[in-house]
Amino acid sequence: MFRPLEGGGIREFAEGLVDWAHNHRSTALAQYELMFLAMRRPALREDAELWYASLENALRNTALTPQKKRNAALAIDGLCLQMLWKHTPRTVDETEAALNEILT
C-alpha cells in the first residue's frame, strides 16, 4: 500500500497518501475497519497487521533510528485517520508539510 520512503521521496509518499485517502477512500476505510474488527476478533489480527507492516516497511530505508521509525509510523497512522475523518490535510502540499514535520 505505502510506497517506500527513501532519500527525498517525501513528496511521492505524500502523493500516495493523498491518493489513497481521497481517491481510494473506500479501500482506506476498509483497512481501518479491519483493524477495529481485529481488536475483537483475534482471527483477523494477522490480516490487520499486514496493513500496518506496510507502513513500517515504507520507513525501512530512512535514516531514522528504530525508535523514531516506530514513532513516525504512529504519527503517519494518525495523519491517515485525520485525512479520512476530517478530510485534512487535503492537498499533496499540506500532506508533504505534515510529513516533513513528522520525519525531521
Side-chain angles (χ1 to χ4, degrees), residues 20-42:
W20 178 72
H22 300 297
N23 298 327
H24 301 280
R25 185 174 170 75
S26 61
T27 299
L29 290 172
Q31 294 293 341
Y32 278 100
E33 288 171 359
L34 173 62
M35 286 194 291
F36 283 110
L37 282 171
M39 290 178 203
R40 293 187 302 273
R41 297 183 185 151

Side-chain angles (χ1 to χ4, degrees), residues 48-99:
E49 288 176 13
L50 286 175
W51 178 87
Y52 202 78
S54 73
L55 174 55
E56 292 175 332
N57 188 53
L59 300 173
R60 183 183 72 234
N61 293 324
T62 64
L64 300 172
T65 66
Q67 181 62 44
K68 287 185 179 182
K69 285 178 189 178
R70 279 189 295 275
N71 291 342
L74 291 169
I76 293 168
D77 185 34
L79 177 64
C80 291
L81 282 170
Q82 183 83 7
M83 292 171 83
L84 293 170
W85 173 40
K86 291 191 169 188
H87 303 279
T88 183
R90 183 139 191 94
T91 69
V92 173
D93 288 339
E94 293 169 337
T95 304
E96 182 181 19
L99 288 170

